Amino acid sequence: MKNLITNLLPAILSATALLSDNTTLSAQQVTIPIVTQNNAIVLQTDRENRLRTVYFGEPLSKAEEYAVISTQYRFDEGGDGIYNSAYTPAGTWSLSEPAIQVTQANGNPSLELKYVSHKEQKLDDNCILTSIVLKDPVSLFQVTLFYKAWKKENVIEQWTELQNGGKTTVSMQKYASANLWFPGKGFYLTSFHGRWAKEMQGSEQLLTPGIKTIDSKLGTRAMLLQSPNFILSFNQPAEEESGTVILGQLAWSGNFRLDFDVNVYGHLRLIVGINPYASEYMLPAGEMFLTPSLIYTVSRKGTGEASRNLHDWARTYRVLDGQGERLTLLNNWEATYFDFDETKLTTLFKDAKSLGVDLFLLDDGWFANKYPRNHDRAGLGDWQENVKKLPHGIGYLVSEAKKAGVKFGIWIEPEMVNPKSELYEKHPDWVIRQPERPEVYYRNQLVLDLSNPEVQNFVFGVVDSLFIKNPELAFIKWDCNAVIYNAGSAYLNKKGIPQSHLYVDYIKGIYSVLEKLRAKYPKVPMMLCSGGGGRGDYEILKYFTEFWPSDDTDPLERIFLQWDYSYFFPSIVSCNHVTDWGKQPIKFRVDVASMGKLGFDIVFSALSENDRKFCQEAVGNYNGYKDIIWKGDQYRLVNPHDNDMASMMYVSKDKARAVMFSFFVSNRQRLTTDVEPILLKGLDPAKKYKVEETNRYPGTRPMPNSGKVYSGDFLMKIGINAKVNTGNTSSVMLIEAI
Ligand code: GLA
């Protein structure tokens, strides 16, 4: 069992080893502030030595006053126990939704948690790790709460370590990552839901008394219908430039559950973790279980600042190679689907070169022989080149791409299998299913059992052998199209491990494969895809450089999708491709896709001469400003959800360069989107900036503002007119200090 958690462990264990022990006598009241630049969470023991959250708000200037905050409150009025418990156990004094629910081997379902000790470790000038040990005096079950706080970015990562200190196995029915408490009243929650090609559809509501639950039970592709990302706004609906907001996410790629619990006083509890649904987990004596992390940032100046902080944090501390470079590419999926051969592909390599992108990405359809992958009903699992389509193998393609002057990348979906495949025939016991029931398919496929180490080795081997055979392979697109139906594991049965471990062990399994892959191939860029945007969280993004937000590449739709993803993710991780979806002109499509990591999925040679010329110039322009998009500060200027236009801006950290994108997003005629200027943000008021239109379509007249010089002060107080309207649906402006 220990192996299940090792991938998350080393950092924490080594960190713990360095901690200075602050063990406090149990009779004494203990106050533990967790402070970032703009926020303080204060935890305190009560007379019974239970740990409570007594404050969530602005930091106090006199640290000694944290200890007396609780004297101003009268808690415990509800009759449901301690509403502000820092980690609510079940079966004793609490009758509210628990953070943890366990049953002892003798059937005793009660748990008490008392404060034992806490430690603080300064990891660097910006980051403090606080850990707090709580223990049940009767069963010796132990809970350690971890809070890792990054001061400058106001980001907190919170997780929990559960340890069975008793003599018999404990069964855990619920094991949350975090249990927060917020005083005040009037909490607005923006949650996100979706389906295929309609991911990240936000909706905001005032939370009313009772529990609002956001969850997933899909196993894999967990974010397809609900998202583990949320915006919580205090006292008012979330605003971009003002108000206290939290942007949060459970960093876990499997089933999750977020409970927002409002009581009669309006106070809010937030309990977040792995979904307990069908996931009772057994913890043998002496073993421990590490929960995934809740990651959140707090801002008192609205969602704009909160996003910029989260973006900075993600690039610096989380996403693989978050500060690095990315490859622009041409993908063949929508250009060919499954219908290609070597001649078609090598012609596309030349297209990629002429377009000016860095890499050619070969998508689905290149593998399987007995059941060739000529459609999505067969072949998945058989990762040998299809000899009819690719008689000379991948190696030939890699070298032909190199000759054409581009790198080569490839699509895989190694966790899944078509029943029509040799893999399924050979290893039916590797497939998640209930053998006595009819199989249920999602996109004609089933999920492999990643709780099984043999299957983990197989998945590792798919990628490893591609790299061994083709050391110059430069990019992987890792897809995951199916959800888990008929959750059943032959492996767990064989090992005598309860089936209720499957959902959790699957995700631990995939993380351990990725851990092993990254140990061997630390930097190769890998795009995470899940039938569009079904997967993408800050745990799995430790292993991926970027992700695919949606198969919906209609540029009009995409403006909204990219806008909503941008609350949580920096543009460097968002793969945006120009395709033939939608009716917008090529300029509009390229402009939209440029707000992220630019790619193309079109038949370039079939475009008109002017369209081709435009694309080539646009890729060149992008190469000139991509560092601002990837690494600069993002400002959401005009929200397409409330307006007939959208405008987004990126500013370099030194405020010397910026790029602004504006789009007309309505079908209605004679709108007034070009009547007023748009206020720019994030510039230096004292600097002078030259405004220049870029990505201009051949033969069109430049914007009236193009070439003009304005002060940063003017641009931020008066603004510039982006001139988007029914005739001119998009514009891109470079704003450079002179
Ligand atoms: C998924 C992905 C697409 C494409 C196809 C290939 O749907 O989201 O981008 O790779 O699979 O089958």
Side-chain angles (χ1 to χ4, degrees):
M1 177 136 354
K2 265 195 179 116
N3 289 341
L4 302 174
I5 47 167
T6 43
N7 62 316
L8 295 166
L9 259 178
I12 296 158
L13 282 185
S14 60
T16 321
L18 296 166
L19 297 175
S20 68
D21 205 335
N22 241 347
T23 310
T24 316
L25 290 173
S26 59
Q28 199 177 317
Q29 198 169 37
V30 181
T31 306
I32 310 165
I34 290 149
V35 185
T36 62
Q37 218 162 56
N38 73 10
N39 196 62
I41 300 175
V42 181
L43 305 160
Q44 194 171 55
T45 54
D46 64 11
R47 261 183 258 117
E48 302 290 333
N49 214 20
R50 296 177 186 133
L51 190 69
R52 301 176 177 226
T53 309
V54 296
Y55 183 67
F56 188 101
E58 283 187 63
L60 301 184
S61 35
K62 292 197 185 343
E64 62 274 17
E65 288 188 323
Y66 287 124
V68 294
I69 293 177
S70 58
T71 58
Q72 303 304 312
Y73 283 86
R74 188 156 59 88
F75 295 119
D76 308 339
E77 280 300 290
D80 50 2
I82 299 172
Y83 201 70
N84 60 340
S85 162
Y87 198 72
T88 316
T92 45
W93 42 263
S94 170
L95 303 176
S96 0
E97 183 62 31
I100 180 149
Q101 189 181 2
V102 302
T103 306
Q104 303 296 325
N106 64 5
N108 181 340
S110 66
L111 185 71
E112 164 70 295
L113 292 174
K114 301 251 186 177
Y115 168 87
V116 176
S117 64
H118 76 280
K119 297 161 180 180
E120 245 180 36
Q121 189 201 359
K122 195 171 165 188
L123 299 180
D124 59 42
D125 282 347
N126 191 34
C127 186
I128 291 182
L129 177 66
T130 305
S131 60
I132 308 166
V133 178
L134 312 174
K135 201 177 206 154
D136 183 349
V138 174
S139 70
L140 304 182
F141 192 87
Q142 184 171 303
V143 168
T144 309
L145 306 176
F146 288 89
Y147 301 79
K148 197 169 177 183
W150 285 269
K151 223 190 301 170
K152 190 162 133 261
E153 295 83 6
N154 293 295
V155 169
I156 294 185
E157 180 179 5
Q158 228 180 295
W159 71 93
T160 301
E161 193 184 281
L162 305 164
Q163 211 159 351
N164 180 359
K167 293 206 164 63
T168 49
T169 297
V170 167
S171 107
M172 305 194 295
Q173 283 88 45
K174 190 174 183 191
Y175 32 99
S177 299
N179 179 171
L180 290 158
W181 175 80
F182 307 103
K185 51 170 79 105
F187 296 96
Y188 288 80
L189 169 70
T190 307
S191 54
F192 298 85
H193 54 276
R195 61 162 168 77
W196 176 74
K198 214 169 171 47
E199 294 86 347
M200 280 304 267
Q201 307 290 308
S203 89
E204 185 172 43
Q205 59 173 261
L206 173 67
L207 291 170
T208 53
I211 299 181
K212 164 86 182 175
T213 297
I214 309 290
D215 81 336
S216 172
K217 302 184 184 75
L218 305 180
T220 46
R221 205 176 172 173
M223 283 166 52
L224 180 63
L225 305 178
Q226 307 276 338
S227 158
N229 295 293
F230 64 89
I231 304 174
L232 191 64
S233 180
F234 294 55
N235 306 317
Q236 60 175 44
E239 295 277 348
E240 188 68 5
E241 296 290 324
S242 65
T244 299
V245 293
I246 291 178
L247 299 183
Q249 175 197 93
L250 182 74
W252 176 246
S253 313
N255 293 346
F256 56 84
R257 185 162 128 191
L258 321 177
D259 281 325
F260 297 85
D261 179 10
V262 174
N263 75 359
V264 70
Y265 299 100
H267 301 169
L268 172 69
R269 300 166 74 224
L270 172 55
I271 300 177
V272 177
I274 290 176
N275 197 338
Y277 165 76
S279 294
E280 180 181 45
Y281 213 89
M282 309 307 281
L283 198 60
E287 302 264 327
M288 73 106 142
F289 182 94
L290 205 55
T291 72
S293 296
L294 169 69
I295 289 160
Y296 56 99
T297 185
V298 185
S299 168
R300 314 225 165 255
K301 290 192 190 141
T303 46
E305 183 194 78
S307 293
R308 286 186 291 280
N309 278 336
L310 201 51
H311 296 172
D312 281 344
W313 172 84
R315 282 183 297 235
T316 318
Y317 302 107
R318 200 65 170 205
V319 173
L320 185 82
D321 205 17
Q323 316 261 28
E325 296 296 304
R326 298 292 184 272
L327 300 166
T328 55
L329 58 84
L330 177 69
N331 187 193
N332 72 311
W333 175 238
E334 291 185 23
T336 66
Y337 292 104
F338 295 96
D339 179 22
F340 55 81
D341 56 21
E342 282 174 350
T343 317
K344 243 191 205 178
L345 293 179
T346 45
T347 311
L348 291 176
F349 299 165
K350 289 179 195 125
D351 275 8
K353 181 64 189 170
S354 142
L355 177 56
V357 293
D358 304 315
L359 175 126
F360 177 84
L361 169 61
L362 174 59
D363 214 283
D364 195 357
W366 58 267
F367 49 88
N369 289 295
K370 182 171 175 191
Y371 304 106
R373 182 75 172 170
N374 293 328
H375 42 69
D376 65 13
R377 297 184 301 283
L380 201 61
D382 301 343
W383 298 103
Q384 300 79 35
E385 293 97 328
N386 178 282
V387 291
K388 272 210 184 118
K389 286 184 196 172
L390 307 178
H392 301 96
I394 298 295
Y396 169 76
L397 294 178
V398 177
S399 73
E400 285 302 295
K402 194 175 180 185
K403 272 189 220 156
V406 288
K407 296 178 190 234
F408 184 86
I410 203 160
W411 178 98
I412 50 171
E413 192 179 0
E415 299 160 73
M416 314 261 151
V417 63
N418 282 127
K420 236 179 164 193
S421 67
E422 290 184 81
L423 181 71
Y424 180 93
E425 289 173 350
K426 263 192 237 151
H427 296 287
D429 57 324
W430 282 11
V431 177
I432 293 181
R433 60 200 187 109
Q434 296 288 357
E436 71 281 15
R437 298 196 187 274
E439 288 178 345
V440 185
Y441 306 121
Y442 196 104
R443 207 195 185 205
N444 314 301
Q445 63 197 53
L446 293 163
V447 179
L448 294 176
D449 181 3
L450 265 289
S451 73
N452 182 345
E454 257 187 319
V455 179
Q456 292 171 19
N457 284 340
F458 167 80
V459 173
F460 173 81
V462 171
V463 189
D464 192 34
S465 64
L466 274 169
F467 282 128
I468 289 170
K469 284 190 215 143
N470 311 288
E472 289 189 81
L473 191 63
F475 187 86
I476 297 271
K477 174 179 176 184
W478 183 306
D479 213 336
C480 157
N481 278 288
V483 300
I484 297 180
Y485 291 118
N486 276 334
S489 158
Y491 169 77
L492 293 179
N493 260 355
K494 203 167 88 189
K495 291 280 167 192
I497 300 169
Q499 288 291 318
S500 58
H501 283 213
L502 180 57
Y503 286 123
V504 172
D505 288 357
Y506 183 97
I507 300 299
K508 303 260 189 198
I510 185 75
Y511 290 159
S512 84
V513 170
L514 290 165
E515 190 71 27
K516 200 166 139 196
L517 273 173
R518 282 313 188 182
K520 190 160 177 193
Y521 308 103
K523 279 233 163 156
V524 187
M526 293 211 299
M527 176 211 280
L528 179 64
C529 176
S530 184
R535 230 186 214 178
D537 60 75
Y538 280 125
E539 188 59 37
I540 203 155
L541 282 171
K542 284 176 176 171
Y543 309 104
F544 288 85
T545 48
E546 51 217 87
F547 77 94
W548 182 235
S550 177
D551 279 349
D552 184 353
T553 49
D554 176 325
L556 200 54
E557 293 284 325
R558 196 79 184 191
I559 287 171
F560 292 82
L561 266 165
Q562 290 173 196
W563 182 278
D564 288 334
Y565 272 110
S566 82
Y567 286 109
F568 305 97
F569 298 101
S571 292
I572 192 167
V573 303
S574 175
C575 298
N576 305 334
H577 291 184
V578 176
T579 71
D580 287 328
W581 285 45
K583 298 191 176 72
Q584 314 299 323
I586 192 82
K587 170 172 164 54
F588 192 96
R589 288 184 267 156
V590 173
D591 290 353
V592 172
S594 298
M595 298 187 293
K597 206 216 78 170
L598 177 64
F600 291 79
D601 201 343
I602 46 172
V603 184
F604 178 62
S605 55
L607 298 180
S608 72
E609 197 184 323
N610 268 347
D611 280 6
R612 284 204 305 275
K613 188 161 174 249
F614 169 78
C615 288
Q616 286 162 333
E617 281 174 11
V619 170
N621 297 337
Y622 180 80
N623 286 334
Y625 63 68
K626 65 189 181 192
D627 58 314
I628 314 174
I629 309 268
W630 294 349
K631 293 161 195 175
D633 288 328
Q634 184 170 13
Y635 291 86
R636 290 179 290 259
L637 302 179
V638 182
N639 187 337
H641 293 286
D642 309 326
N643 295 279
D644 293 314
M645 65 174 300
S647 191
M648 187 87 100
M649 180 182 175
Y650 301 82
V651 184
S652 66
K653 289 285 177 190
D654 62 1
K655 297 181 186 292
R657 299 172 71 221
V659 51
M660 171 194 186
F661 296 86
S662 305
F663 302 94
F664 185 76
V665 298
S666 176
N667 288 323
R668 294 166 62 203
Q669 297 294 312
R670 281 186 284 284
L671 287 169
T672 51
T673 48
D674 57 359
V675 169
E676 289 174 13
I678 297 168
L679 294 183
L680 272 54
K681 302 256 163 72
L683 300 174
D684 178 348
K687 281 196 166 94
K688 291 206 155 216
Y689 293 92
K690 186 172 177 194
V691 173
E692 196 123 38
E693 189 189 5
T694 188
N695 281 14
R696 192 140 57 79
Y697 192 78
T700 56
R701 273 188 291 134
M703 292 280 185
N705 272 319
S706 199
K708 302 269 163 59
V709 173
Y710 303 95
S711 67
D713 180 58
F714 179 91
L715 292 170
M716 292 194 289
K717 287 182 181 156
I718 307 299
I720 52 170
N721 196 314
K723 285 283 173 201
V724 297
N725 50 42
T726 42
N728 179 56
T729 51
S730 71
S731 72
V732 185
M733 306 292 237
L734 280 176
I735 297 133
E736 290 180 294
I738 51 168

